[in-house]
Amino acid sequence: MLNVGDLIFVRGHIFDPVADAIKAGEWLLTHEDKRKVAHLYTHVAVYLGGNEIAEAQGLRVSGDGTLSRYYGNYDIGHVQMTYDQRQQFLAALQRENGFRYDWMGIFWLAVKALTGYDKKYKEHRTRYCSTYVGWALQQAGIKVNDETPVSLALDPLVWIETC
């Protein structure tokens, strides 16, 4: 069940018979099997209610988006938090709205993946999707691995509900 403050893990858009077969079987998985689907996640957003989400998406600034854009291609991530933590998390997301997408962060992820070089550049007020969510969770006192959507989905504090 989708609640305000839940994470929206978006699966990559691959249109072939094998990918379609995998998607058809995903709804059978439980949260214990999240490793089987986590590698498919290419984006993460936060549900705000109705058709509204908060996200950091390439080619625009961080802020509000629409859930229907990802219809049929997402799973729900639940993070256990108190009412106050949830309010702090949602407020932190709003404070991050309007900032540019973090293309340099994506570049450093690629460098790390290709070479193993793990020097983190100095962050400026920019975020890519998982760091946008991770930073806001941290403001509510919840520390997660926000390096990528996959690492966030695999974090022990995140429970995945497949759709």
Side-chain angles (χ1 to χ4, degrees), residues 7 20 26 28 38 48 52 58 87 109-110 118 138 154:
L7 310 183
D20 292 341
E26 282 177 5
L28 296 172
L48 300 177
E52 300 296 315
Q87 297 311 306
L109 279 176
D118 195 18
Q138 188 170 356
L154 292 174

Side-chain angles (χ1 to χ4, degrees), residues 7 11 17 29 33 43 51 53 55 58-59 63-65 72 76 84-85 89 92 94 99 115 125 131 139-140 144 159:
L7 310 183
R11 295 180 226 113
L29 298 176
D33 299 314
H43 182 59
N51 190 33
I53 58 173
E55 64 182 339
L59 303 179
D64 296 338
I76 303 166
D84 288 339
Q85 285 176 311
F89 170 54
Q94 295 303 314
F99 293 109
T115 68
R125 299 286 292 179
T131 59
Q139 303 314 298
V144 293
W159 176 74

Side-chain angles (χ1 to χ4, degrees), residues 42-157:
T42 59
H43 182 59
V44 62
V46 178
Y47 182 63
L48 300 177
N51 190 33
E52 300 296 315
I53 58 173
E55 64 182 339
Q57 182 63 272
L59 303 179
R60 66 180 185 88
V61 297
S62 57
D64 296 338
T66 56
L67 180 62
S68 59
R69 176 179 183 197
Y70 304 117
Y71 180 77
N73 287 309
Y74 69 86
D75 294 323
I76 303 166
H78 303 283
V79 178
Q80 186 173 350
M81 58 183 101
T82 66
Y83 175 81
D84 288 339
Q85 285 176 311
R86 189 168 302 272
Q87 297 311 306
Q88 292 169 0
F89 170 54
L90 295 169
L93 287 171
Q94 295 303 314
R95 287 193 306 271
E96 284 291 287
N97 284 349
F99 293 109
R100 291 177 297 126
Y101 191 75
D102 190 5
W103 291 107
M104 188 58 88
I106 298 297
F107 168 78
W108 280 110
L109 279 176
V111 168
K112 180 180 176 183
L114 294 171
T115 68
Y117 184 68
D118 195 18
K119 181 190 178 305
K120 181 76 170 145
Y121 73 103
K122 181 174 172 45
E123 288 187 46
H124 302 283
R125 299 286 292 179
T126 58
R127 304 273 187 255
Y128 54 89
C129 65
S130 57
T131 59
Y132 174 71
V133 172
W135 180 87
L137 283 168
Q138 188 170 356
Q139 303 314 298
I142 301 166
K143 179 68 176 138
V144 293
N145 182 346
D146 65 358
E147 187 172 56
T148 66
V150 171
S151 66
L152 183 56
L154 292 174
D155 191 277
L157 297 179

Side-chain angles (χ1 to χ4, degrees), residues 15 139 158:
F15 299 100
Q139 303 314 298
V158 178

